[in-house]
Amino acid sequence: MSSLREKLLYKAPCAYSVKDADFDTVNSFCEGYKSFLNNAKTEREAVAVAVAEAETMGFTPFDRNNTYKAGDKVYFANRSKGLVLAVMGKQGMENGANITVAHVDSPRLDIKQRPLYEDGGLAYFKTHYYGGIKKYQWTALPLALHGVIIKKDGTKIDVCIGEREDEPVFYISDLMPHIGGRQSEKPLGSAITGEGLNVIVGSVPLDEESDALKLAVLSALNEKYGVTEADLITAELCAVPADKARDVGFDRGLIVSYGHDDRVCAYPSMKALLECDSPERTCICIFADKEETGSYGVTGVTSAAYENFLSALCRCFDADFATFCANSTCLSADVGGAYDACYGDAYDPKNSAYVNKGVVVTKYTGSRGKSGTSDASAELVAKITSLFDREGVAWQTGEYGKVDEGGAGTVAKDIARLDIEVVDVGVPMFSMHSPYELASKADVFAMYKAAKAFYTL
Ligand code: MN
Ligand code: MN
């Protein structure tokens, strides 16, 4: 009876029960991941960290006039916010490449261009939220400021304040419950407004004249960075949660952190690629920007920057770009929703991804009637999942939630537009898009093994 059960029934295994995925191995991989989470909270920081690591592993900036051979390692940074890492394969470029795409932007609060004002005895920065957030989650927690200020003469000033213990943090207040009667009767989505997400940046007036709080903040900024109020117009600053990634649970099996989505796929796929030596097919790892706002913009995956890089790579080998695309395969590596028993109503428990069951292979995404989906072919799903089985990768299937609850899209449709076969594979996530998301270490490690296996395709 038990053999019949094994033969006929399907059950996704536990991510700890596949080979080479004991807790110590998983845990030590995740220590590196936690450092990445802490040091790469924005797309610019993720690209900088990845470029530095790639250079130590022998990657050089791509030069379209160069000739390359199997085993050569190059990178192409797209305006400091996107990145492509490539290791040339032994097979010709017309045989296609194994490509992973993960995004390195995350939901956050962008600082408006004219942010600084004072009211009620405090100085504030006005914000405009980036990506899909539940606004009420972003109040009453310590925030750090990250980004750049570009001065009129082109000088770039990197800003990162609130991450070190000895640095100040920033804060958005909320109404006390004692007088929050009317607020608490509002729907979650409107109790806190976008225009209400104002970050406290100062409280000690310079003197008793007008604009004394603004001036105090500006003089602190001027002292630290040499900037004026006008320079904030040409800045890209954002507020992100200030805390570091931490282990969760007595057994330390989970990680709580800002920005898992989508460092949780970006980091493992980068690690797997950096370890690629003389692969059969060319292997490519893309870090994309702007996914959280629709993948538009010159650094988003819909930008021709990525397509142009791939076609320049083909030209270095005198390979036909269209043939390269038609023979390439892509993992759209992005987070999936983990079944959350506390909100079980929102899920189809028979078609959900579960914690510690490995990466989620998602044939289709989209909203309601699969709107906006790429929908991977059954052929590709079979090819990828049999590869994962062969290579001991813990994997499962899972939809975001119930059919009528909503849904989401990924970059899969944008990759498919290039005539590249693509399927979504990622890590299941709790509290997605909240300031502190939750992921399982075993699932993070499964993503690393999935990318390692995929690069051997
Ligand atoms: Mn994502
Ligand atoms: Mn997202």
Side-chain angles (χ1 to χ4, degrees):
M1 219 33 198
S2 74
S3 67
L4 194 64
R5 187 166 275 116
E6 265 168 43
K7 188 179 165 195
L8 296 181
L9 293 174
Y10 168 74
K11 198 170 171 236
C14 171
Y16 285 112
S17 67
V18 299
K19 75 172 187 292
D20 305 326
D22 56 283
F23 184 77
D24 287 347
T25 308
V26 164
N27 195 46
S28 103
F29 179 81
C30 285
E31 284 305 303
Y33 174 49
K34 281 156 64 183
S35 300
F36 186 76
L37 285 166
N38 295 338
N39 295 323
K41 289 191 177 183
T42 65
E43 59 277 8
R44 284 181 188 267
E45 291 166 357
V47 169
V49 169
V51 166
E53 195 160 342
E55 282 181 341
T56 68
M57 302 290 280
F59 284 70
T60 57
F62 174 66
D63 177 353
R64 62 184 61 224
N65 299 314
N66 228 338
T67 50
Y68 291 101
K69 58 180 191 316
D72 284 347
K73 302 172 177 189
V74 299
Y75 70 86
F76 159 67
N78 182 7
R79 299 167 173 88
S80 313
K81 297 182 189 180
L83 180 67
V84 187
L85 301 166
V87 182
M88 313 306 173
K90 290 180 207 149
Q91 295 180 11
M93 208 54 95
E94 289 185 358
N95 280 9
N98 302 327
I99 305 168
T100 62
V101 187
H103 67 92
V104 286
D105 60 317
S106 296
R108 63 186 182 226
L109 304 177
D110 281 347
I111 305 301
K112 285 191 182 183
Q113 281 193 284
R114 299 202 47 196
L116 184 58
Y117 74 100
E118 55 179 75
D119 199 3
L122 293 171
Y124 296 89
F125 272 177
K126 293 202 66 67
T127 70
H128 195 137
Y129 63 93
Y130 173 95
I133 63 166
K134 290 167 119 177
K135 283 167 277 196
Y136 72 90
Q137 294 178 329
W138 291 73
T139 63
L141 46 90
L143 298 167
L145 281 182
H146 289 239
V148 296
I149 302 171
I150 309 294
K151 295 181 71 169
K152 291 284 180 296
D153 63 1
T155 318
K156 180 165 102 177
I157 299 156
D158 286 306
V159 175
C160 179
I161 180 161
E163 292 293 341
R164 291 206 329 247
E165 288 287 313
D166 62 346
E167 287 174 340
V169 292
F170 305 90
Y171 186 83
I172 297 171
S173 62
D174 196 355
L175 196 58
M176 67 182 107
H178 315 65
I179 56 167
R182 270 185 296 141
Q183 183 197 40
S184 64
E185 281 165 16
K186 291 181 185 170
L188 277 180
S190 58
I192 300 288
T193 63
E195 222 53 68
L197 290 171
N198 300 311
V199 182
I200 296 169
V201 293
S203 62
V204 187
L206 199 67
D207 52 33
E208 295 193 14
E209 307 292 312
S210 63
D211 292 329
L213 282 159
K214 274 184 76 172
L215 275 172
V217 169
L218 286 171
S219 63
L221 281 171
N222 191 264
E223 194 177 308
K224 192 168 167 66
Y225 301 113
V227 298
T228 66
E229 187 174 20
D231 291 320
L232 296 177
I233 293 173
T234 49
E236 245 171 44
L237 297 172
C238 64
V240 296
D243 281 344
K244 306 272 185 271
R246 304 280 299 269
D247 291 348
V248 173
F250 292 113
D251 51 7
R252 311 184 82 104
L254 306 162
I255 302 169
V256 59
S257 175
Y258 169 69
H260 274 308
D261 177 11
D262 190 32
R263 281 152 197 76
V264 78
C265 296
Y267 177 81
S269 49
M270 173 191 80
K271 285 309 254 190
L273 188 99
L274 294 181
E275 291 163 8
C276 261
D277 264 323
S278 56
E280 278 301 313
R281 302 217 303 167
T282 293
C283 291
I284 295 173
C285 169
I286 299 179
F287 279 12
D289 180 30
K290 295 281 179 288
E291 193 278 340
E292 298 295 359
T293 51
S295 295
Y296 305 112
V298 78
T299 50
V301 87
T302 59
S303 160
Y306 303 95
E307 191 177 336
N308 290 345
F309 166 80
L310 294 175
S311 105
L313 196 61
C314 284
R315 273 199 303 281
C316 289
F317 291 88
D318 286 321
D320 177 53
F321 180 55
T323 311
F324 164 83
C325 289
N327 289 328
S328 289
T329 312
C330 178
L331 289 193
S332 161
D334 205 347
V335 295
Y339 177 81
D340 188 336
C342 293
Y343 305 91
D345 267 7
Y347 300 85
D348 165 9
K350 297 175 192 66
N351 283 280
S352 286
Y354 288 83
V355 64
N356 288 336
K357 293 272 185 183
V359 292
V360 200
V361 178
T362 306
K363 186 179 183 308
Y364 48 83
T365 59
S367 294
R368 295 177 177 84
K370 300 190 181 179
S371 176
T373 188
S374 168
D375 211 335
S377 69
E379 289 86 342
L380 180 61
V381 175
K383 191 171 167 183
I384 296 296
T385 55
S386 61
L387 170 75
F388 287 173
D389 283 342
R390 272 201 310 282
E391 299 295 326
V393 177
W395 67 273
Q396 57 183 327
T397 60
E399 297 199 12
Y400 257 70
K402 275 183 178 159
V403 175
D404 289 332
E405 286 291 334
T410 65
V411 299
K413 62 185 184 315
D414 307 313
I415 301 297
R417 191 191 59 80
L418 296 173
D419 190 24
I420 295 175
E421 288 267 8
V422 55
V423 61
D424 284 293
V425 172
V427 174
M429 187 68 39
F430 292 95
S431 307
M432 196 189 296
H433 285 203
S434 74
Y436 294 103
E437 303 171 313
L438 188 71
S440 134
K441 289 182 179 177
D443 296 336
V444 176
F445 189 68
M447 186 64 223
Y448 164 69
K449 288 189 76 177
K452 287 277 271 192
F454 176 68
Y455 290 137
T456 69
L457 188 71

